[in-house]
Amino acid sequence: NAGVTQTPKFQVLKTGQSMTLQCAQDMNHNSMYWYRQDPGMGLRLIYYSASEGTTDKGEVPNGYNVSRLNKREFSLRLESAAPSQTSVYFCASSEPTTPGELFFGEGSRLTVL
Amino acid sequence: QQQVKQSPQSLIVQKGGISIINCAYENTAFDYFPWYQQFPGKGPALLIAIRPDVSEKKEGRFTISFNKSAKQFSLHIMDSQPGDSATYFCAASTGGYQKVTFGTGTKLQVIP
């Protein structure tokens, strides 16, 4: 049982390049999330998807887009990467029966030069 | 606007001591207060959680104390061990879509 799987684990981009972070969960959860983690700032919500077919902005959505491909998969796209997007990105999932309990992937470390 | 404020930013405790991490929140609509533990290179994992209708919850060496009137809650780690060395995040959420708001994290180091 893999839980939440993120790819890639590491990525280096040049300013202006685009890329997509992939996330898949095998727990049949309805809700999925993308967070970014920066030193001294904790985890900040970028986008979330309460259920398949819906997505909503979180606290820091600028520069990102998301796609809830199906119930299992939730991708995060950077259309034109900027150095300010250098961060560790975490995907998470949850189920309404366990409110506030997020299951996280191991993270994707992105560096934008 | 930081809705959940966490302190201290870092903490060094001797083995066997008590580690205390404090958090304060502003939004009175929050109704669930989890704590997450994160080891280097890993994602955060739920450690313990509390609802505002109780003042304390204990699971093994980990205890959450909750003060609803002061809008504060804290994590106490009794008999701290080197294996407890990690970053701890307090968090708060409301019902509905379960958006979880995190504190800024506390890096705990337990020294032998």
Side-chain angles (χ1 to χ4, degrees):
Chain A
N1 192 346
V4 178
T5 302
Q6 294 182 230
T7 56
K9 293 190 185 304
F10 302 94
Q11 183 72 48
V12 178
L13 290 177
K14 294 181 179 178
T15 297
Q17 288 185 319
S18 63
M19 78 157 299
T20 299
L21 300 177
Q22 307 285 356
C23 175
Q25 54 93 5
D26 61 5
M27 295 173 283
N28 203 36
H29 286 166
N30 282 305
S31 302
M32 297 186 73
Y33 311 79
W34 277 105
Y35 283 87
R36 60 177 289 174
Q37 183 175 15
D38 302 289
M41 303 194 74
L43 292 140
R44 293 181 292 168
L45 183 64
I46 305 171
Y47 270 93
Y48 68 100
S49 171
S51 61
E52 185 179 355
T54 68
T55 60
D56 283 287
K57 295 178 181 179
E59 182 184 354
V60 289
N62 291 343
Y64 305 95
N65 284 300
V66 291
S67 296
R68 184 73 183 267
L69 304 171
N70 48 56
K71 190 172 184 178
R72 290 188 63 248
E73 299 173 289
F74 189 38
S75 63
L76 178 71
R77 183 162 179 82
L78 288 69
E79 291 290 352
S80 180
S84 61
Q85 294 178 305
T86 294
S87 187
V88 181
Y89 292 86
F90 286 97
C91 177
S93 67
S94 72
E95 189 55 45
T97 54
T98 53
E101 182 175 352
L102 302 179
F103 292 83
F104 284 88
E106 296 205 331
S108 297
R109 183 175 293 274
L110 175 65
T111 300
V112 183
L113 302 175
Chain B
Q1 181 185 6
Q2 187 67 40
Q3 293 197 52
V4 179
K5 296 182 179 180
Q6 183 171 350
S7 63
Q9 188 172 5
S10 62
L11 182 62
I12 299 175
V13 173
Q14 284 209 313
K15 178 181 176 180
I18 302 173
S19 303
I20 302 174
I21 303 170
N22 300 300
C23 286
Y25 64 97
E26 300 170 0
N27 186 351
T28 56
F30 288 142
D31 60 3
Y32 188 75
F33 299 88
W35 285 87
Y36 284 79
Q37 180 186 55
Q38 183 182 29
F39 293 106
K42 302 294 185 182
L46 181 68
L47 181 64
I48 186 173
I50 196 169
R51 290 195 175 277
D53 53 349
V54 297
S55 60
E56 185 175 280
K57 183 174 181 179
K58 183 176 181 179
E59 290 185 1
R61 297 184 292 108
F62 299 90
T63 300
I64 301 177
S65 298
F66 189 85
N67 185 329
K68 188 175 181 179
S69 61
K71 293 188 287 185
Q72 295 176 347
F73 58 111
S74 60
L75 176 70
H76 290 65
I77 306 174
M78 312 300 288
D79 187 26
S80 298
Q81 299 296 313
D84 297 329
S85 297
T87 299
Y88 292 81
F89 293 95
C90 62
S93 70
T94 59
Y97 297 125
Q98 309 167 62
K99 286 196 296 181
V100 180
T101 300
F102 286 85
T104 51
T106 297
K107 186 173 183 178
L108 171 66
Q109 184 181 359
V110 181
I111 55 177

